[in-house]
Amino acid sequence: MSPSSPRYLMYVPYAGVTNQLISIWHGSMIAKALNRTLLIPNLSPNVHVEVDGQQEPAPTRWSEFIDLKLYSRQTGLQLEELDDFLARRGIIEHKGQLRRRSGSKNMKRSVGTKPASSRNKHKKRWIQLESLVQEGQPIPKSSLETTNGATSEQEAQEPHHQRPAFVKHPVVEQCFSEAGYGMDRRVDMTGRRFMQRYAINSTLIPTPFLDPERDNNSIWARWRMDKVIERYQQPHYEEEEILCLGHVYRLLPGGNNRAWVEFGQHFHFTEKVHEFVDEILEELLPRGHQAFVGIHLRRGDFERHCMGITSPADPNGWNRCYPSVQHIISLLSGKTGGGHSVSGVTAAAHAVALASGYQKLPVLVLTNERDPIELAKADAENWIRVDHKRLGTLERFGRYGPILIDGALLARANLLVGVEYSTYFKTASKRAETWYNSQTIFVT
């Protein structure tokens, strides 16, 4: 391969939308250091945004929400969306539909033959595995077994029941282990679907440490970004036209918010998103109000995540991860049941309101709460709930619209209230603080 020929970096998407977002920033750091063009994959189905039915909907590109041209200019990073690259190579159609592979063994694989109960068990098992990996816990052997006795590594090489991959030829045959030590070679549900869609072997290739004694002295050393970059600067990897890594979300960039400072803060929403956010705020906020308090109240699967960190038996810890609606109400009102002032949130909200020229700010709550009792408590406080079904977000932006529009809405808040254990909320707070000089309060 000629030294002047363009070289590319791609990676396997991981987990939910925010993790996939941060993966772009981490991939950007690696690609820029290696002087490669970053190939950005589409938004991938995950445990939060599932695929319904037997046919996968049309792929959603990041450029539908993010101004990637601006991102490239401000960071100096060469990038291209993966499907555009594959279309140029003749691997997929320009509309993002994968070409059917004639004579491929993949064509013989069945689709949707498992009963619903089996599919549900399959989904839950991968959620459990993912939480164990995030918590750094060993994976029990029983957790790696499928309903038919196969291990997760064996199953990872089998196609997901949703949809086989129809491609003219794989863009790459295999991807390298992003951490380099080759021990943890599992690929999560999001990654497996991506690799099957593009006909990539789902077993990662292990890569050795440059200095095993130094680089393998702790799990943190294994995931250091500088070590990963140093490894893939070696001549053997430089010869790869398309260097594919496993998911890069867990890599450790080092420095003080380095990924955000160098890349994340330049990841701006498109004008189309901003215009829709303007419409929402004009409709929901009281007339004459532009400033507001934004509350992020995450529910659903997040309870399981919090149970791996703390428990309801520890009220202080639990409130920092999974606070009740009533607890947040008490923080905003500044009163406990005994009438004692306890909240810095109240003081902050009052100060922000006065600075914005108001006595009191309206409260906009963004939540996936489904409990009518909890929602009634929020309504009783006259909090304004964002209802994406009523707003038509799905029709205008598709299935990833609500979660990404919520992030754009939170960024506009003058005061953000949420939990420190939510990566989604912390990302939203960085946007608000950096772009709009807003203030963040973590629930305690």
Side-chain angles (χ1 to χ4, degrees):
M1 180 178 176
S2 169
S4 61
S5 300
R7 296 175 303 152
Y8 303 89
L9 175 77
M10 62 180 290
Y11 60 87
V12 178
Y14 172 72
V17 170
T18 305
N19 291 353
Q20 294 179 44
L21 174 78
I22 293 173
S23 295
I24 295 177
W25 305 342
H26 288 185
S28 298
M29 295 180 69
I30 300 171
K32 191 172 182 180
L34 298 179
N35 195 27
R36 290 177 175 270
T37 297
L38 180 66
L39 299 177
I40 299 180
N42 294 328
L43 284 151
S44 297
N46 53 80
V47 295
H48 307 298
V49 183
E50 266 285 7
V51 174
D52 295 324
Q54 298 299 321
Q55 296 299 320
E56 182 177 344
T60 302
R61 298 179 179 226
W62 279 99
S63 57
E64 296 176 37
F65 297 92
I66 303 297
D67 189 338
L68 294 181
K69 291 181 179 179
L70 177 63
Y71 179 65
S72 177
R73 289 197 303 269
Q74 293 186 341
T75 61
L77 173 74
Q78 296 298 314
L79 61 85
E80 186 173 3
E81 290 192 270
L82 178 60
D83 276 11
D84 287 341
F85 173 79
L86 297 180
R88 289 196 297 105
R89 292 292 178 98
I91 296 175
I92 64 172
E93 302 290 352
H94 283 279
K95 292 183 179 180
Q97 300 301 319
L98 299 178
R99 289 184 175 175
R100 188 173 295 274
R101 234 177 138 182
S102 59
S104 169
K105 292 181 180 179
N106 289 339
M107 294 294 294
K108 298 179 181 180
R109 293 170 178 170
S110 60
V111 181
T113 56
K114 293 183 181 181
S117 59
S118 175
R119 293 198 296 269
N120 291 336
K121 290 178 182 178
H122 171 87
K123 177 180 175 181
K124 290 178 180 178
R125 184 177 54 79
W126 272 102
I127 293 172
Q128 292 164 356
L129 280 177
E130 186 176 339
S131 64
L132 288 171
V133 171
Q134 289 173 343
E135 295 161 18
Q137 298 179 12
I139 308 299
K141 183 177 179 181
S142 59
S143 297
L144 299 178
E145 294 175 349
T146 66
T147 53
N148 61 3
T151 65
S152 64
E153 185 168 331
Q154 290 170 333
E155 187 189 39
Q157 299 180 44
E158 293 297 321
H160 191 272
H161 65 272
Q162 289 282 2
R163 183 177 189 269
F166 298 141
V167 296
K168 187 174 181 180
H169 56 79
V171 58
V172 293
E173 295 292 341
Q174 283 188 299
C175 298
F176 294 99
S177 169
E178 70 283 359
Y181 58 97
M183 296 292 290
D184 184 359
R185 293 160 65 187
R186 288 181 297 277
V187 179
D188 81 316
M189 180 191 74
T190 303
R192 289 196 306 130
R193 287 182 173 179
F194 170 82
M195 298 174 91
Q196 287 150 15
R197 176 174 173 81
Y198 295 100
I200 302 171
N201 189 317
S202 57
T203 299
L204 301 178
I205 302 173
T207 53
F209 288 107
L210 297 177
D211 185 340
E213 183 175 349
R214 181 190 62 181
D215 296 346
N216 197 28
N217 57 11
S218 73
I219 189 169
W220 303 113
R222 299 171 182 172
W223 293 97
R224 282 174 51 181
M225 183 77 76
D226 59 336
K227 294 298 180 184
V228 172
I229 292 172
E230 183 182 3
R231 180 176 303 110
Y232 292 109
Q233 285 173 330
Q234 303 306 302
H236 172 70
Y237 301 109
E238 288 187 349
E239 295 174 1
E240 299 278 344
E241 180 196 13
I242 305 172
L243 178 64
C244 179
L245 303 183
H247 85 75
V248 294
Y249 169 76
R250 284 187 289 178
L251 297 180
L252 306 173
N256 185 18
N257 289 323
R258 181 185 171 193
W260 171 257
V261 171
E262 295 184 14
F263 294 97
Q265 67 171 316
H266 305 296
F267 212 64
H268 291 278
F269 292 107
T270 63
E271 282 302 314
K272 180 181 176 181
V273 169
H274 283 303
E275 289 171 1
F276 186 54
V277 169
D278 288 340
E279 291 177 22
I280 293 174
L281 294 178
E282 184 176 355
E283 178 178 342
L284 296 183
L285 295 181
R287 179 171 294 183
H289 276 265
Q290 293 181 336
F292 66 96
V293 176
I295 295 178
H296 179 235
L297 191 62
R298 185 167 174 183
R299 289 296 186 256
D301 67 305
F302 198 62
E303 182 176 13
R304 180 175 55 252
H305 173 73
C306 292
M307 287 296 291
I309 300 171
T310 180
S311 77
D314 174 17
N316 290 331
W318 191 247
N319 286 333
R320 291 171 60 196
C321 193
Y322 203 78
S324 66
V325 172
Q326 188 59 51
H327 181 70
I328 297 179
I329 290 172
S330 70
L331 293 179
L332 283 173
S333 68
K335 301 292 182 180
T336 63
H340 301 291
S341 179
V342 295
S343 175
V345 178
T346 306
H350 184 62
V352 170
L354 293 179
S356 304
Y358 304 102
Q359 288 298 314
K360 185 177 181 181
L361 293 182
V363 176
L364 205 67
V365 59
L366 301 103
T367 182
N368 59 343
E369 178 66 77
R370 295 294 179 265
D371 185 343
I373 297 177
E374 292 295 292
L375 293 176
K377 294 177 183 177
D379 294 341
E381 296 296 313
N382 293 317
W383 290 356
I384 305 167
R385 286 194 282 126
V386 177
D387 184 344
H388 287 291
K389 184 176 181 180
R390 186 179 63 82
L391 292 168
T393 308
L394 282 166
E395 288 75 15
R396 293 179 65 168
F397 288 91
R399 57 189 172 145
Y400 295 98
I403 190 170
L404 288 166
I405 296 299
D406 276 356
L409 280 166
L410 280 170
R412 297 281 194 93
N414 299 70
L415 175 66
L416 286 78
V417 180
V419 297
E420 62 182 301
Y421 291 112
S422 168
T423 305
Y424 180 90
F425 178 73
K426 287 194 294 185
T427 301
S429 70
K430 287 177 182 176
R431 293 187 187 114
E433 292 169 357
T434 305
W435 298 346
Y436 301 103
N437 198 31
S438 300
Q439 185 176 349
T440 298
I441 296 289
F442 291 114
V443 177
T444 58

